[in-house]
Amino acid sequence: MLDGLGGTQGTQETDVAPTDEVAGTGAPEMTGTARGARPALRVVKPLKRSRIGDLRMKVVYRVLAVAVVLIAAAVAVVAGLLPSGSAEQPDEGRPGQIAAPSTAAPSSGPTSSAAVPAAASNPTAVSSPTAVSSPTAEAAPAPDDSAVKAALADPRVPELPADKRLGRLPGKASSSKSRISDEKSGVSLIRFGKPWKPYGASPFATRQVLPPVRGAGHRAMLVSCPVPTLVQATLKDTALIAARWTLNHHPKGGRISWVASQPIKDGWLLAYKVVYKMKGKARSSMAAVAVTEVAGSKPALVFVTIPDSQRTRWRDINTVATSIRPV
């Protein structure tokens, strides 16, 4: 209906209180006390709400509280696991200490039998490097007789004769000036005067030679060195292997013919002829090897050979055999 004042439509009076829906919209609220009275309009301010999305603050607070509780529980679980893990780490390093090398120096003597039960009852001794590196374990095994069999199977080397002493060889003994001390081999021997003379030792330790003779096939020489072959169980067998080796210093095709086999001071002597051909003519050399025990790891070898073209010097082989001494 018209209010009669400005031709505007009036507002209908109501006694109903505004609901939350109306109040929440911010629309004007109509109030009145009597019918026919002009209603008074009052603007009601909307309620302030803090929203995260469409959620109320109360809901947000509850979510945050739950999250804080969960985080605190997780931290407590992790904190409970860390001490147990760190306590096990030192124990894991202890087995390595058992295998640590012993600081005690290894004994230079033979291992006693009392050390065997101790090593069996003590795991540390078993795992220690010093327990397995005794001097007796490093000793080389005794050689077998394979080298001797190989030497005797060589058609150039006959079976060793029964022990027989070297007789006086033909010729005249050379004069002697002094002695030669071979520190490398551990022996000393005679040093002949003229016509012998020292010569370049390589590949030996010492060497003396006679003047070369045309047609002889090789040069007379007296040398010393550590045994250049495999050491055998006995000095006699070692001398056999060394005699075969000396064929490398004789003319090609040389064959051994034994002359003597006898013990000498701290060693063994083999004397022999080496028979060969030079330009179709039979030739020979008188030779001898002496193997002597010395302080070194290998015996000493003294080797002398003189061709038949210088047979007047063969007596020097007797002198050499009796002159060998340990240094």
Side-chain angles (χ1 to χ4, degrees), residues 131-156:
V132 297
S133 59
S134 62
T136 55
E138 297 176 356
D144 56 23
D145 58 351
S146 60
V148 175
K149 291 180 179 179
L152 295 178
D154 189 334
R156 302 173 301 168

Side-chain angles (χ1 to χ4, degrees), residues 197-209 219 221-223:
K197 65 177 182 180
Y199 195 72
S202 180
F204 309 101
T206 69
R207 176 159 55 176
Q208 304 172 63
V209 298
R219 192 171 187 176
M221 62 180 180
L222 167 61
V223 302

Side-chain angles (χ1 to χ4, degrees), residues 53 68 91 216 234 242 251 275 301 314:
V68 170
D91 295 337
T234 66
V275 181
L301 172 70
W314 281 4

Side-chain angles (χ1 to χ4, degrees), residues 185 225-232 238-239 241-242 290-292 298-301:
S185 304
C225 62
V227 170
T229 59
L230 181 65
V231 178
Q232 302 301 301
T238 303
I241 305 303
V291 176
T292 308
K298 298 190 73 173
L301 172 70

Side-chain angles (χ1 to χ4, degrees), residues 235-236 262-269 290-293:
L235 291 176
K236 185 177 182 179
Q262 69 177 70
I264 57 175
K265 183 176 177 59
D266 300 321
W268 198 270
L269 172 74
V291 176
T292 308
E293 287 284 5

Side-chain angles (χ1 to χ4, degrees), residues 33-80:
T33 57
R35 292 184 181 272
R38 184 177 179 177
L41 297 178
R42 181 170 57 92
V43 177
V44 179
K45 295 182 180 181
L47 296 176
K48 293 183 180 180
R49 293 181 181 178
S50 298
R51 297 180 180 180
I52 300 176
D54 293 332
L55 297 178
R56 296 181 180 182
M57 290 301 297
K58 185 182 295 185
V59 177
V60 174
Y61 292 153
R62 289 178 181 177
V63 173
L64 291 177
V66 173
V68 170
V69 172
L70 293 177
I71 293 173
V75 171
V77 172
V78 173

